[in-house]
Amino acid sequence: MNLEKVRNIGISAHIDSGKTTLSERILFYAGRIHKIEDVRGGGDGATMDHMELEKERGITITSAATSLKWNHLGEEYNVNLIDTPGHVDFTVEVERSLRVLDGAVLVLCSVGGVQSQSITVDRQMKRYKIPRLAFINKMDRTGADPFRGLRELKEKLQADAFLMQLPIGREDNFKGVVDLIERKAYYFDGDNGEILRIEEPPAEMADEIEETRLAMLEALSMYSDDMMEKMLSEEEISVELIYEVARKAVHAGATPVYMGSAYKNKGVQPLLDAVARYLTSPLDREIHGIDPKDETKQIPLTPDPNEPFVGMAFKIVDDEYGQLTYMRIYQGTCEKGGSYINQRTGKKERFSRLVRMHSNKREEIDSAGAGDIIAVMGIDCASGDAYAPERNFCTLESMFVPEPVIKISVTPTSRAEADKMGKALQRFRKEDPTFRVETDEESGEVLISGMGELHLDVYVERMRREYGVSVEVGAPKVSYREAPTKHVDFDHKFKKQTGGSGQFAHIKGSIEPIESDSEDSFEFEDKVVQGRIPKQYIPAVEKGFRDSLIKGPVAEFPVVGTRVTLTDGAYHDVDSSEKSFHTCARECFREYFKKASPVLLEPIMQVELECPESFQGAVVGDVTGRRGMITNTDIREGVSYISAEVPLAETFGYATDLRSMTQGQGTFTMELCKYAKVPGNIQEDIVNEKKNAQLVGSK
């Protein structure tokens, strides 16, 4: 396989921008499917949304992979494509897909522009340094404006974005696009836009074309001295040079902007040509593994099929045939029936079957080489595990997994159901790193936590359908945090004498708040001098403090934003031990943390609302009533766009309330924004509620 002609790409965007519709058209034009289905309404549903739940709700829940071939300028390109969910509740699906891809298409709605999830996806693309193209979709909608989309890409995402096309007409009148490099008009004929008709652009667009083309050339000239010189001396720039510089610019982080309407079958083929022409192949990416024997040392991985095999399991799906592991191969070749070692567990495992995925359909293959994305059957591993031919060969940087923000209790209706529920939860937890399962020590309830109401809703529904488990769902619980607000010095002695050798430890230092973006922030500083506490006991002191963070003294929520500094202490030659210093630190934390005026922190969600202008007053009033703070409002074409920060505790059941307030026309999305201090009166209610629950539990 010629790796220069391989593209591993993802399609990511804000919810409802048309990603799955675009994927469906791409598959159709590449000849991978022979009939177009729609995401919503009738038919068999979109190819990439293969779960029953996805078809019913018209949303993407799991990322689906497929591969296709695209003919560009007479050469065949192999494209591995992953369609990712837009909803922030399934953000880990986007995260793990981008972790293993070489390029991406960021889809924007021509009316909505850059929305909240577009910002999240942009952050994820930057985290993994993914080159990308932007596609402004839904150009046939009322209020379509590609120039606003371009402006917002620059302002909100600080992207170096420039138009590569201009629309011929807009809204109902959208007919096609003009390619600015070649100055040619593209029209999409035939029943499904499959016939590409190339003509001279409309004469009345001549000035606009030249003006926009100049802006494109100016943006590109920043990536090429040769082009910059030609621009300054006003020489004609050859089309070949523009193509060459555009490819270089994309690899360096620029964002060329394309446009069309996937639903109306316009603009998709030129986008595929751009994917082939500009996006990176596995040969263009620098990938490094980590040496397990020395984690500071990096091992360069080359996409060479003859080197030792290195692959990463990035997504796991359990189905009736067993575990299916999606794998990206970074180096070497893996064979069907070959045995490779899981770098995390050290276990040797046999790759009994290799398959190429097309949504949920499988095609058997005998081997796969560097740069490929395939699925392996019959191995037992976790998301993020690396495989290689020998032990301690190479590990790969794991992906970022956000912390869950919402909990609900699930109780099976009978003993027989409990086993089935256990199996379902174990499978879901393995598949999804943001889905957590725990048992409440006091009440014995099983608690599941995730990224939002929809996320947990989908898992409860899947338990009912896939495992036939009927469960009762408890009210949602918010994951609060506790944090200190002032500096406190501590001086704590632990002494215990019970015949024979006793226990003794003495520590001095301070507890203080720290500002940090991270949720689980805790810092420990050892400033003990002259061996006042022997070095071997210091880790035990740190562990004692860390173990105390799991339940804070205010209402038994995890403690964050804390720094402990150990400055002095004392020990006893006979009676001191690691255990005594560990216990001393735990006792000290319980006693002194209360003096640091601890407060509760609650998750605040960034909420983006859309509703008809006539309902704006009611919606804004309701948000304010939920302790929300409006950060921005905008009215376009009779639609009101509202951004707000609202405490998670106040958002439960909001979807239903918003629908009834706006006669079913309002929509919203939300994602975690930050943790902020809970108002005093509400903190009191939370603490009392927790105490009452404990009293009930102890009876």
Side-chain angles (χ1 to χ4, degrees):
M1 187 159 69
N2 180 358
L3 282 180
E4 271 181 35
K5 304 282 185 293
V6 172
R7 299 287 179 270
N8 292 315
I9 64 163
I11 294 188
S12 316
H14 182 85
I15 191 164
D16 254 358
S17 301
K19 296 178 297 303
T20 304
T21 307
L22 177 62
S23 304
E24 192 76 359
R25 299 310 185 265
I26 287 174
L27 291 174
F28 178 75
Y29 296 130
R32 198 73 165 83
I33 56 173
H34 303 290
K35 178 174 177 251
I36 290 177
E37 295 283 2
D38 289 327
V39 175
R40 288 192 173 93
D44 295 333
T47 310
M48 302 299 265
D49 284 353
H50 56 81
M51 278 168 70
E52 284 303 316
L53 266 174
E54 294 181 308
K55 288 175 181 170
E56 278 171 33
R57 294 180 182 232
I59 59 168
T60 304
I61 293 170
T62 64
S63 48
T66 186
S67 55
L68 53 105
K69 295 190 182 326
W70 181 249
N71 198 305
H72 170 62
L73 301 179
E75 295 194 2
E76 197 172 67
Y77 285 77
N78 291 299
V79 181
N80 290 314
L81 177 127
I82 297 184
D83 171 30
T84 63
H87 209 289
V88 73
D89 285 21
F90 310 109
T91 186
V92 75
E93 288 287 332
V94 186
E95 194 75 47
R96 59 173 154 211
S97 302
L98 290 176
R99 168 68 185 82
V100 298
L101 291 170
D102 300 322
V105 177
L106 174 66
V107 184
L108 300 177
C109 168
S110 66
V111 183
V114 171
Q115 294 160 283
S116 61
Q117 255 83 49
S118 324
I119 297 170
T120 308
V121 168
D122 172 67
R123 220 177 21 241
Q124 291 169 322
M125 287 177 181
K126 284 176 178 158
R127 184 179 295 135
Y128 300 115
K129 301 184 176 62
I130 300 279
R132 58 162 180 218
L133 308 172
F135 182 70
I136 296 179
N137 195 15
K138 305 194 177 185
M139 282 299 299
D140 56 311
R141 266 185 68 181
T142 307
D145 183 354
F147 294 100
R148 192 182 58 246
L150 176 71
R151 209 167 44 246
E152 290 186 354
L153 274 168
K154 290 178 174 176
E155 288 167 10
K156 291 188 179 176
L157 305 184
Q158 274 78 54
D160 182 13
F162 43 86
L163 294 180
M164 296 292 257
Q165 295 175 332
L166 273 176
I168 303 170
R170 281 189 212 175
E171 302 176 354
D172 291 346
N173 197 24
F174 178 60
K175 295 189 181 73
V177 292
V178 174
D179 174 55
L180 292 174
I181 298 181
E182 305 256 6
R183 297 187 180 94
K184 289 276 189 280
Y186 287 41
Y187 297 97
F188 306 89
D189 299 339
D191 295 342
N192 295 309
E194 67 275 18
I195 301 163
L196 198 62
R197 175 163 52 93
I198 303 174
E199 293 186 356
E200 290 304 312
E204 67 274 13
M205 287 182 71
D207 292 346
E208 191 186 7
I209 289 169
E210 289 314 309
E211 194 183 314
T212 318
R213 190 175 193 268
L214 185 64
M216 173 193 78
L217 293 175
E218 280 171 356
L220 286 174
S221 66
M222 294 303 180
Y223 297 89
S224 160
D225 293 343
D226 188 14
M227 196 182 222
M228 178 80 82
E229 279 170 26
K230 285 188 161 62
M231 295 269 303
L232 291 171
S233 56
E234 295 186 8
E235 284 177 54
E236 183 59 38
I237 296 167
S238 72
V239 169
E240 286 72 29
L241 180 63
I242 301 174
Y243 282 133
E244 186 190 314
V245 175
R247 182 172 162 82
K248 197 166 129 188
V250 171
H251 293 199
T255 307
V257 181
Y258 291 80
M259 60 195 66
S261 164
Y263 185 60
K264 293 284 169 71
N265 310 314
K266 290 182 171 69
V268 178
Q269 298 96 318
L271 176 70
L272 269 169
D273 285 336
V275 164
R277 186 165 242 151
Y278 305 126
L279 283 182
T280 42
S281 74
L283 295 172
D284 301 316
R285 300 286 313 279
E286 275 189 25
I287 304 287
H288 290 93
I290 299 162
D291 188 337
K293 301 185 256 323
D294 175 7
E295 293 198 354
T296 55
K297 205 168 133 194
Q298 290 196 326
I299 303 168
L301 298 178
T302 53
D304 181 341
N306 302 317
E307 290 285 319
F309 167 72
V310 177
M312 179 185 187
F314 68 93
K315 177 181 159 83
I316 285 157
V317 180
D318 259 335
D319 59 17
E320 64 269 31
Y321 308 113
Q323 181 172 310
L324 184 69
T325 305
Y326 285 75
M327 191 171 283
R328 162 76 199 251
I329 302 171
Y330 285 110
Q331 180 174 283
T333 305
C334 71
E335 306 280 343
K336 174 183 174 175
S339 291
Y340 304 97
I341 289 170
N342 182 324
Q343 299 294 294
R344 179 178 60 87
T345 62
K347 259 171 60 184
K348 190 171 201 171
E349 296 188 61
R350 186 167 175 269
F351 287 16
S352 57
R353 284 167 69 198
L354 304 182
V355 293
R356 197 173 291 293
M357 297 302 292
H358 174 46
S359 187
N360 61 337
K361 297 183 183 68
R362 314 162 178 203
E363 294 162 15
E364 297 268 346
I365 52 174
D366 292 327
S367 68
D372 221 338
I373 291 177
I374 55 154
V376 181
M377 296 179 73
I379 58 172
D380 181 22
C381 65
S383 193
D385 284 356
Y387 279 86
E390 54 193 66
R391 281 182 181 217
N392 293 336
F393 182 77
C394 157
T395 60
L396 289 151
E397 186 189 349
S398 61
M399 61 195 174
F400 171 79
V401 177
E403 285 295 310
V405 293
I406 175 177
K407 270 184 195 165
I408 57 172
S409 63
V410 285
T411 316
T413 48
S414 68
R415 281 299 293 267
E417 304 282 282
D419 290 347
K420 287 196 282 185
M421 184 177 95
K423 272 191 191 132
L425 293 179
Q426 190 181 350
R427 171 188 158 188
F428 297 153
R429 188 166 67 178
K430 201 172 180 183
E431 285 184 10
D432 182 351
T434 57
F435 178 75
R436 312 273 168 91
V437 182
E438 60 189 288
T439 307
D440 189 307
E441 288 168 17
E442 278 120 26
S443 64
E445 285 180 315
V446 175
L447 300 174
I448 58 174
S449 46
M451 302 307 295
E453 269 186 292
L454 177 67
H455 189 201
L456 297 183
D457 214 19
V458 162
Y459 278 120
V460 169
E461 188 59 32
R462 282 182 66 188
M463 266 194 271
R464 288 189 183 126
R465 289 184 186 204
E466 294 170 30
Y467 288 86
V469 182
S470 61
V471 291
E472 287 170 5
V473 178
K477 297 186 175 83
V478 178
S479 298
Y480 292 101
R481 302 279 188 264
E482 298 183 18
T485 55
K486 66 179 197 190
H487 178 106
V488 171
D489 290 319
F490 61 79
D491 181 347
H492 188 75
K493 200 175 275 183
F494 170 63
K495 217 171 171 181
K496 203 171 179 190
Q497 202 68 42
T498 49
S501 67
Q503 291 185 39
F504 176 85
H506 182 192
I507 54 176
K508 287 183 182 180
S510 63
I511 294 175
E512 60 188 330
I514 48 170
E515 279 297 316
S516 171
D517 295 339
S518 150
E519 279 172 48
D520 52 354
S521 47
F522 171 74
E523 289 177 11
F524 178 82
E525 277 191 43
D526 166 22
K527 290 192 174 172
V528 177
V529 288
Q530 297 163 343
R532 306 270 301 173
I533 300 175
K535 279 275 175 267
Q536 70 264 31
Y537 297 146
I538 304 287
V541 176
E542 181 176 353
K543 188 171 185 312
F545 280 115
R546 277 193 190 276
D547 290 350
S548 310
L549 300 174
I550 298 162
K551 284 187 173 181
V554 181
E556 299 192 344
F557 290 110
V559 173
V560 298
T562 307
R563 179 188 288 132
V564 171
T565 310
L566 186 64
T567 53
D568 200 359
Y571 70 104
H572 187 281
D573 284 338
V574 179
D575 292 353
S576 287
S577 65
E578 285 183 16
K579 186 174 178 236
S580 48
F581 273 97
H582 182 268
T583 311
C584 181
R586 291 196 70 151
E587 278 186 3
C588 169
F589 188 83
R590 268 202 301 274
E591 183 185 331
Y592 284 91
F593 188 75
K594 290 174 186 163
K595 298 175 183 175
S597 307
V599 292
L600 283 187
L601 304 178
E602 63 180 343
I604 304 289
M605 309 306 280
Q606 171 72 40
V607 181
E608 303 273 335
L609 295 137
E610 282 179 38
C611 65
E613 191 182 344
S614 51
F615 298 113
Q616 182 177 336
V619 171
V620 167
D622 179 67
V623 167
T624 317
R626 293 171 185 268
R627 299 194 285 125
M629 190 174 80
I630 305 288
T631 52
N632 191 26
T633 55
D634 191 8
I635 295 171
R636 301 198 288 267
E637 311 288 336
V639 178
S640 184
Y641 297 85
I642 303 161
S643 301
E645 290 176 5
V646 186
L648 176 67
E650 305 288 341
T651 63
F652 298 133
Y654 185 52
T656 315
D657 295 350
L658 181 67
R659 275 192 210 112
S660 54
M661 242 184 305
T662 58
Q663 293 171 9
Q665 298 172 64
T667 60
F668 79 102
T669 59
M670 64 180 192
E671 61 181 313
L672 180 65
C673 172
K674 61 185 178 190
Y675 272 82
K677 191 176 160 185
V678 175
N681 57 332
I682 291 169
Q683 175 164 326
E684 260 174 58
D685 294 346
I686 295 166
V687 173
N688 291 336
E689 200 179 305
K690 190 87 174 177
K691 280 182 184 154
N692 292 340
Q694 283 169 348
L695 288 171
V696 171
S698 62
K699 279 179 185 169

